[in-house]
Amino acid sequence: MKALLFTCMLVLWLTAASARSYDQDSQLIPGSLQGRELNGYFSDYLKSRRATRALPIADEPDDSPIPDGGDALDLPTCLLCVCLTGSVYCEEVSPDMTAVPTLPKETAYLYARFNKIKKISNKDFADIVTLKRIDLTGNLISEIDDGAFSKLTLLEELSLAENRLVKLPMLPAKLTSFNANHNFLKTKGVKANVFKKMTKLMNLLLADNELEAIPHIPDSVRTLHLQNNNITDVNVDTFCRSNNTYYLRPSLNEVRLDGNPVVLSKYPDSFTCMKILPVGRYR
């Protein structure tokens, strides 16, 4: 009887020890896989890692930065710029933006200020006929193809300020605002009638250039900035009409000619049709 009792106790002790060992293996982390399954998981994981390390370099994703010498044209426009519905903002882009980027077809407003765009070609805006506003202030533009804006029949506002232009291209007839301040424009580069057909033009800004004469100013213009040029005289027909003493310019409410060599008091008959006198030198 004692021998049988001892045998039973030994069997119970071995069973309990086996259960404790199994519990320790299966509870390495609460909620983890059981021991044998956990070992199999790590084995498969290590095999997967070895396979990944064994891939050729060309098959691995390239997260390296764009080289300093890279060009913005190598990247999609909406990766470099902020593209919202109908608007594209490309300001101070890095890497350098040296040409007008490819725009989404529905673009109505383009802001590409303070980049290094050098030229505007005929093809840059040929397919974007929805454009209403273009702002290219602060670039390095020295050349614009004569027909670069010819297809933009909806364009209302155009800024080419702070560039390197010596002449102007043909401009859309429906412009209401044109800004070419701070360029190198000379009178020979601005056709006398370049603004004549622009019957909706209200703001004409040509300050800080090298103009020697005042171009034709449409009747619709309200604000005219020509300060800091090389203008030496004002013709009787510049603002008024010598053959029509009843002609008036009621819309023109701001004219700046300060910073020019012209002495305005020498031309009293040149401003009789205006409700205000130009800002400038009178003595």
Side-chain angles (χ1 to χ4, degrees):
M1 284 295 292
K2 290 182 179 180
L4 180 59
L5 182 60
F6 176 78
T7 301
C8 290
M9 293 178 64
L10 180 61
V11 170
L12 290 172
W13 182 84
L14 289 173
T15 300
S18 177
R20 282 197 302 273
S21 176
Y22 180 82
D23 289 342
Q24 289 174 354
D25 286 342
S26 63
Q27 296 179 4
L28 292 174
I29 300 174
S32 67
L33 298 173
Q34 293 182 350
R36 293 182 181 85
E37 294 178 2
L38 188 65
N39 289 337
Y41 171 80
F42 279 118
S43 176
D44 292 341
Y45 174 76
L46 290 173
K47 288 178 183 178
S48 175
R49 290 293 297 166
R50 290 191 193 102
T52 301
R53 285 198 295 268
L55 286 173
I57 294 177
D59 293 340
E60 294 183 356
D62 183 8
D63 296 327
S64 59
I66 299 169
D68 291 340
D71 194 294
L73 298 180
D74 297 332
L75 296 172
T77 299
C78 291
L79 180 61
L80 290 166
C81 310
V82 176
C83 296
L84 302 175
T85 304
S87 300
V88 177
Y89 299 85
C90 304
E91 303 194 355
E92 297 183 278
V93 171
S94 180
D96 294 341
M97 178 176 285
T98 58
V100 175
T102 302
L103 301 173
K105 294 288 186 181
E106 71 280 3
T107 303
Y109 304 96
L110 170 64
Y111 303 89
R113 300 181 291 190
F114 310 112
N115 290 294
K116 295 185 179 179
I117 299 171
K118 299 177 181 178
K119 179 181 178 179
I120 308 298
S121 69
N122 286 332
K123 65 180 182 179
D124 286 334
F125 301 116
D127 298 326
I128 317 297
V129 295
T130 52
L131 279 165
K132 294 182 179 179
R133 180 185 300 160
I134 298 175
D135 191 343
L136 296 168
T137 299
N139 280 277
L140 305 175
I141 302 169
S142 60
E143 183 180 356
I144 302 178
D145 288 349
D146 209 32
F149 306 114
S150 61
K151 295 184 179 180
L152 304 182
T153 57
L154 300 179
L155 192 66
E156 297 176 352
E157 299 179 34
L158 175 61
S159 178
L160 301 171
E162 298 177 44
N163 279 283
R164 299 180 179 182
L165 294 171
V166 296
K167 65 177 183 177
L168 293 179
M170 292 188 299
L171 298 171
K174 291 185 178 180
L175 280 183
T176 61
S177 180
F178 178 66
N179 185 350
N181 287 342
H182 294 278
N183 277 277
F184 300 99
L185 295 173
K186 296 179 180 293
T187 295
K188 64 180 181 181
V190 180
K191 297 176 182 178
N193 295 326
V194 67
F195 305 113
K196 188 174 183 177
K197 294 182 179 180
M198 299 169 66
T199 57
K200 296 184 178 181
L201 187 64
M202 293 186 290
N203 301 309
L204 179 56
L205 312 178
L206 299 170
D208 295 276
N209 280 283
E210 299 175 11
L211 298 172
E212 298 91 9
I214 301 174
H216 176 86
I217 309 300
D219 291 349
S220 57
V221 171
R222 299 178 182 178
T223 302
L224 175 64
H225 287 184
L226 288 164
Q227 67 268 30
N228 302 322
N229 277 280
N230 295 325
I231 298 169
T232 56
D233 65 2
V234 180
N235 190 284
V236 176
D237 292 313
T238 299
F239 297 106
C240 304
R241 294 177 183 174
S242 58
N243 62 353
N244 184 356
T245 56
Y246 295 99
Y247 174 75
L248 296 174
R249 273 188 181 267
S251 298
L252 193 57
N253 53 37
E254 182 181 341
V255 179
R256 290 193 58 182
L257 287 167
D258 46 311
N260 284 280
V262 62
V263 179
L264 299 177
S265 58
K266 293 183 178 181
Y267 309 94
D269 295 334
S270 297
F271 314 116
T272 55
C273 64
M274 299 165 57
K275 64 180 182 180
I276 51 95
L277 288 174
V279 175
R281 180 184 173 194
Y282 283 88
R283 62 180 181 177

